[in-house]
Amino acid sequence: MSTTLPFAATQAQPNYLNVDYGWKSWLFTTDHKRIALLYLFSITAFFFVGGMFAVGMRMNLLTPQGLFDHDTYNKLFTMHGIIMVFFFLVPSIPATLGNFLVPIMIGARDLAFPRINLISWYLYIIGGLVALGAVVQGGVDTGWTFYAPFSSTYSNTHVLITAIGVFISGFSSILTGLNFIVTVHKMRAPGMTWNRLPLFVWGHYATSLIQVLGTPVVAITLVLLALERLFHAGIFDPNVGGDPVLFQHLFWFYSHPAVYIMILPGMAVISEIVTCFSRKAIFGYSFVAISSIAIAVLGFLVWGHHLFVAGQSMYASIAFSFLSFVVAIPSAIKVFNWTATMYRGSVSYDTPMLYAFGFIGLFTIGGLTGLFLATMAIDVHVTDTYFVIAHFHYVMVGGMVMAYLGGIHFWFPKISGRMYPEGWAKFAALVVFVGFNLTFFPQFILGYQGMPRRYAHYPPEFQVLNVMSTAGASILAMGYLIPMIYLAWAWRNGPIAPQNPWRAKGLEWEQSPTPPPTFNFDRQPVVTEPAYNYSGEEEEEVELGG
Amino acid sequence: MNHHVVSVKVYAAVFAALLALTLTTVAVSKLELGEFNFIVAITIAVIKATLVILFFMDVRHATDLTKLFVGAGLFWLAILLVFLLSDYFSRGWLPGPGWL
Amino acid sequence: MADSETPLAVHEPELRHHFDDSAQQFESSVLGMWVFLVTEVLFFGGMFGAYTVYRNLYPEAFASTSHFMNVTIGAINTAVLIFSSFTMVLSVRSAQLGQKKALIIFLILTLILGCVFLGFKYVEYHEKWVDHHVPGPSFRYEDTRYVHQAQILFFLYFAMTGMHAIHMIVGAGLLTALIVMSARNRFSAAWYTPVEMIGLYWHFVDVVWIFLFPLLYLIGHTK
């Protein structure tokens, strides 16, 4: 069964990129694919800004006495966290790859609410500009966690404006989630039953549930914080009877599930990549699908593990600790299933698969160290140290960002109609892997040895590991810059891609042209096979004589 | 479209019930019932809300999917409140001798 | 593939190109509105959580402040909102039956009742302002034992009822838009989705008040 079109025809055919030109056709588009690209460019810009703050931090940490004073350093790590969490990680895969692919993967012509999709991008931009406005005016120094009463009473930086910016972007997240939920329920093509859905869609559905259920709580928390900044009633001020721990409870009710908003789409991407580059159906499809939902649900029951040393009752802490162990189980199931998929598969080492390998190894390390932190007796020792920082950077950067890069490379041909340079891509993946580990592994040791986080200056005995970490960060930065360059080059100059360069299964590869037309398909797809039917294809090849 | 029309009588009956329940809850609040005041007031509020949701928002004729989402919203609110309050309520508990 | 040139669009008004038929489009709108309302449940829920925590931490202060809640206005407002839900539901019913005049009348009644609610709210807030019970530099409390705790409780009162009032104002705006659209014959028995969706939103705002009223006005009143 041929799924490729002649090279020249692929370019000449009208697709979502060449159907219309001009800034209005982009800024007023309702095409989910164009909106995905709008997000891609803006998210990359924010990643760059957040990265600049990281550069400042790592430069400061080269020496024990540092480059900056405490107030400036406080602003650096705060802005790094706020921008990376709220304006990069939370939207990243869902708003780019999710927006682009979810409708195509289920056989639909667009998301359920295309105009709301565009509004969600504008809300993201407005929220981002408001937050950047706070940066330009001098920044915020509360930490991305905005803990009260410092944030509500004592900080004299631009907390209010930043809170407003984050609040607005939260609605962008809610609307994206709402759109995906309705789309997956109502817009599936004939034959696309729930147990034929690509795991990418299951992962994004689970993510959307979290976005819809969790984000409103951080929204109201920021409202209360903003009102407190304005009226000083004392709701979080212990001097007048307020409880700072209440802020932490309300904040983490969202912010813990938020980390699953960040990682589930990455896992969704890895499921797609691993099956394709093992030429094998995913091992335990139902388990992987249900594990996404399990993570979404269980992720709401563990937030108290951020409050172990905050004054939370011991009994609540015990419950949260136990549940934090439970939530690790579905993640572990995914890792086992990806590995089992590769076993006796026909594994190839294209760039997306290299990023998938990186994800599986680094996410596992990050996840296991999460269990250390879920253990109260250990957490008391390493909380607020670099151990925590290393943990979450392993899952977020070693996990999520690698999945993001893997996904961008995997679907780059579909999105752009061109191939990226594989040699440079493999090289960059290696640079990222080396740079990442050199940056963050020393931080586990630093944390264990007692170096606190959010400190501008540190005792001299920690310098060697800090220098290693900064060196690693420079390498990691190179690893991120190289793809930005060759992907931009390949967008215009790369070789034209065939319809299905990876010979992957899935509606987006098999039944949608590359790049897709505005309404995704030339004719309504009807689904008759299970997802990842690679063995069916192999049987065909054997029959035809290979 | 594809759903049935509810009679004005049904809506009026629900409206009357809601008003009656409002009067009841105000009247009961004037009595000295201790902790029971809270329980009665919340129970009446839950009944009123249920009437609005089932009849005015027509959830009784809604698809199973809609009912699932209504239930999920309430369930998640319960998670927030129960887990949040569990911290405050258990802060005063002291471990007994030989226990942890 | 259905697009805007096929006969389907002629028989199915307002069908947008990415939907296969009106039923799918309507069901998507209903699910979308309910998902949005679920987010609102969690949004208000955070404040209900904060309220419950402080109510249990400071029961005496709470009992003290409850004497300053105007139960009469609260009860009238509750009845007004319930009445407005009734008129809203009748307006949706009118739309279902293609009764344009009745639709407009009931929408206008709903809007008026909503404005009555807001009017009473303004009276209440003004009362509180005069009594120096608005949190901020001008706050003063009659019982010096509970000054700080009372300020926190009044803060929550204003945050919760204020957020509710903002939702009412947005609802009033949406109702106005519906009235204009109805007057311009945009709705028919075949398509009236915005009326029903905004109806759901309006009822939700009513449900929030159904809980706010006893929790803020009625509990602790007798102590």
Side-chain angles (χ1 to χ4, degrees), chain A residues 306-339:
Chain A
H306 298 271
L307 279 75
F308 283 155
V309 300
Q312 179 174 257
S313 92
M314 185 174 68
Y315 298 94
S317 296
I318 294 173
F320 280 121
S321 172
F322 172 72
L323 288 163
S324 302
F325 274 81
V326 175
V327 78
I329 296 173
S331 297
I333 287 176
K334 284 185 194 271
V335 173
F336 288 137
N337 284 16
W338 291 322
T339 316

Coordinates of all heavy atoms in Angstrom, one line a residue, chain A residues 306-339:
Chain A
H306 N 4.6 18.8 49.4 CA 5.4 20.0 49.3 C 5.3 20.8 50.6 O 6.0 21.8 50.8 CB 4.8 20.9 48.2 CG 4.9 20.3 46.9 ND1 6.0 20.5 46.0 CD2 4.0 19.6 46.2 CE1 5.8 19.8 44.9 NE2 4.6 19.3 45.0
L307 N 4.5 20.3 51.6 CA 4.3 21.0 52.8 C 4.8 20.2 54.0 O 4.5 20.4 55.2 CB 2.8 21.2 53.0 CG 2.2 22.4 52.3 CD1 2.0 22.1 50.9 CD2 0.9 22.8 52.9
F308 N 5.7 19.2 53.8 CA 6.1 18.3 54.9 C 6.8 19.1 56.0 O 6.6 18.8 57.2 CB 7.2 17.3 54.4 CG 6.5 16.1 53.7 CD1 7.3 15.4 52.8 CD2 5.2 15.7 53.9 CE1 6.7 14.3 52.1 CE2 4.7 14.6 53.3 CZ 5.4 13.9 52.4
V309 N 7.6 20.2 55.7 CA 8.3 20.9 56.7 C 7.6 22.3 57.0 O 8.1 23.1 57.6 CB 9.7 21.1 56.4 CG1 10.5 19.8 56.2 CG2 9.9 22.0 55.1
A310 N 6.4 22.4 56.4 CA 5.7 23.7 56.5 C 4.8 23.9 57.8 O 4.3 25.0 58.0 CB 4.9 24.0 55.3
G311 N 4.7 22.8 58.5 CA 3.8 22.9 59.7 C 2.5 22.1 59.5 O 1.6 22.2 60.3
Q312 N 2.4 21.4 58.4 CA 1.3 20.5 58.1 C 1.2 19.4 59.2 O 2.3 19.0 59.7 CB 1.5 19.9 56.7 CG 0.4 19.0 56.3 CD 0.6 18.6 54.8 OE1 0.0 19.1 53.9 NE2 1.5 17.7 54.6
S313 N 0.0 19.0 59.5 CA -0.1 17.9 60.5 C 0.6 16.7 60.1 O 0.7 16.3 58.9 CB -1.5 17.6 60.8 OG -2.0 16.6 60.0
M314 N 1.2 16.0 61.0 CA 1.9 14.8 60.7 C 1.1 13.7 60.1 O 1.5 13.0 59.2 CB 2.5 14.2 62.0 CG 3.4 13.0 61.8 SD 4.2 12.5 63.3 CE 2.8 11.8 64.2
Y315 N -0.2 13.7 60.5 CA -1.1 12.6 59.9 C -1.5 12.9 58.5 O -1.5 12.0 57.7 CB -2.3 12.5 60.8 CG -2.0 12.1 62.2 CD1 -1.8 13.1 63.2 CD2 -1.8 10.8 62.5 CE1 -1.4 12.7 64.5 CE2 -1.4 10.4 63.8 CZ -1.2 11.4 64.8 OH -0.7 11.0 66.0
A316 N -1.7 14.2 58.2 CA -1.9 14.5 56.8 C -0.7 14.2 56.0 O -0.7 13.7 54.8 CB -2.3 16.0 56.7
S317 N 0.5 14.5 56.6 CA 1.7 14.3 55.8 C 1.9 12.8 55.5 O 2.4 12.4 54.5 CB 2.9 14.8 56.7 OG 2.9 16.2 56.8
I318 N 1.6 12.0 56.5 CA 1.7 10.5 56.3 C 0.8 10.1 55.1 O 1.2 9.4 54.2 CB 1.3 9.7 57.5 CG1 2.3 10.0 58.7 CG2 1.2 8.2 57.2 CD1 1.9 9.4 60.0
A319 N -0.4 10.6 55.1 CA -1.3 10.2 54.0 C -0.8 10.7 52.7 O -0.7 10.0 51.7 CB -2.7 10.9 54.3
F320 N -0.2 11.9 52.6 CA 0.3 12.5 51.4 C 1.5 11.7 50.9 O 1.8 11.5 49.7 CB 0.6 14.0 51.5 CG -0.6 14.9 51.4 CD1 -0.9 15.7 52.4 CD2 -1.4 14.9 50.2 CE1 -2.1 16.6 52.3 CE2 -2.5 15.7 50.1 CZ -2.8 16.6 51.2
S321 N 2.3 11.3 51.9 CA 3.5 10.6 51.6 C 3.2 9.2 50.9 O 3.7 8.9 49.9 CB 4.4 10.3 52.8 OG 5.5 9.5 52.5
F322 N 2.2 8.5 51.5 CA 1.8 7.2 51.0 C 1.3 7.4 49.6 O 1.6 6.7 48.7 CB 0.8 6.6 51.9 CG 0.1 5.4 51.4 CD1 0.8 4.2 51.3 CD2 -1.2 5.5 50.9 CE1 0.2 3.1 50.7 CE2 -1.8 4.3 50.3 CZ -1.1 3.1 50.3
L323 N 0.4 8.4 49.4 CA -0.2 8.6 48.1 C 0.8 9.0 47.1 O 0.7 8.7 45.9 CB -1.3 9.7 48.2 CG -2.6 9.2 48.9 CD1 -3.5 10.4 49.4 CD2 -3.4 8.2 48.0
S324 N 1.9 9.7 47.5 CA 2.9 10.1 46.5 C 3.7 8.8 46.0 O 4.1 8.8 44.9 CB 3.9 11.0 47.2 OG 3.3 12.2 47.7
F325 N 3.8 7.8 46.9 CA 4.3 6.5 46.4 C 3.4 5.9 45.4 O 3.8 5.3 44.4 CB 4.6 5.6 47.5 CG 5.9 5.8 48.2 CD1 6.2 6.8 49.1 CD2 7.0 5.0 47.8 CE1 7.4 7.0 49.7 CE2 8.3 5.2 48.4 CZ 8.5 6.2 49.3
V326 N 2.1 6.0 45.7 CA 1.1 5.3 44.8 C 1.2 6.0 43.4 O 1.1 5.3 42.4 CB -0.3 5.4 45.4 CG1 -1.3 4.9 44.4 CG2 -0.3 4.6 46.7
V327 N 1.3 7.3 43.4 CA 1.2 8.0 42.1 C 2.4 7.6 41.2 O 2.4 7.8 40.0 CB 1.1 9.5 42.2 CG1 2.4 10.1 42.6 CG2 0.5 10.1 41.0
A328 N 3.5 7.1 41.8 CA 4.7 6.7 41.0 C 4.4 5.4 40.2 O 5.0 5.2 39.2 CB 5.9 6.5 41.9
I329 N 3.4 4.7 40.6 CA 3.2 3.3 40.0 C 2.8 3.5 38.5 O 3.4 2.8 37.7 CB 2.2 2.5 40.8 CG1 2.7 2.2 42.2 CG2 1.8 1.2 40.1 CD1 1.7 1.6 43.1
P330 N 1.8 4.3 38.2 CA 1.4 4.4 36.8 C 2.6 4.9 35.9 O 2.7 4.5 34.8 CB 0.2 5.3 36.7 CG 0.0 5.8 38.1 CD 0.9 5.1 39.1
S331 N 3.4 5.8 36.5 CA 4.6 6.2 35.7 C 5.5 5.1 35.4 O 6.1 4.9 34.3 CB 5.3 7.4 36.4 OG 4.5 8.5 36.6
A332 N 5.7 4.3 36.5 CA 6.6 3.1 36.3 C 6.1 2.2 35.3 O 6.8 1.6 34.5 CB 6.8 2.4 37.7
I333 N 4.7 2.0 35.3 CA 4.1 1.1 34.3 C 4.5 1.6 32.9 O 4.8 0.8 32.0 CB 2.6 1.1 34.5 CG1 2.3 0.3 35.8 CG2 1.9 0.5 33.3 CD1 0.8 0.3 36.2
K334 N 4.4 2.9 32.7 CA 4.7 3.4 31.3 C 6.2 3.0 31.0 O 6.4 2.6 29.9 CB 4.5 4.9 31.3 CG 3.1 5.3 31.2 CD 3.1 6.8 31.1 CE 1.7 7.4 31.3 NZ 0.9 7.5 30.1
V335 N 7.1 3.2 31.9 CA 8.5 3.0 31.6 C 8.7 1.5 31.3 O 9.4 1.1 30.3 CB 9.4 3.4 32.8 CG1 10.8 3.0 32.5 CG2 9.3 4.9 32.9
F336 N 8.1 0.6 32.1 CA 8.2 -0.8 31.8 C 7.6 -1.1 30.4 O 8.2 -1.9 29.6 CB 7.4 -1.6 32.8 CG 8.0 -1.7 34.2 CD1 7.3 -1.5 35.3 CD2 9.4 -1.9 34.3 CE1 7.8 -1.6 36.6 CE2 10.0 -2.0 35.5 CZ 9.2 -1.8 36.7
N337 N 6.5 -0.5 30.1 CA 5.8 -0.9 28.8 C 6.6 -0.3 27.6 O 6.7 -1.0 26.6 CB 4.4 -0.3 28.8 CG 3.5 -1.2 29.6 OD1 3.9 -2.0 30.4 ND2 2.2 -1.0 29.4
W338 N 7.2 0.9 27.8 CA 8.1 1.3 26.7 C 9.2 0.4 26.4 O 9.6 0.1 25.3 CB 8.6 2.7 26.9 CG 7.6 3.8 26.9 CD1 6.5 3.9 26.1 CD2 7.5 4.9 27.8 NE1 5.8 5.0 26.4 CE2 6.4 5.7 27.5 CE3 8.4 5.4 28.9 CZ2 6.0 6.9 28.1 CZ3 8.0 6.6 29.5 CH2 6.9 7.3 29.1
T339 N 9.8 0.0 27.5 CA 11.0 -0.9 27.4 C 10.5 -2.3 26.8 O 11.2 -2.8 25.9 CB 11.6 -1.2 28.8 OG1 11.6 0.1 29.5 CG2 13.0 -1.8 28.7

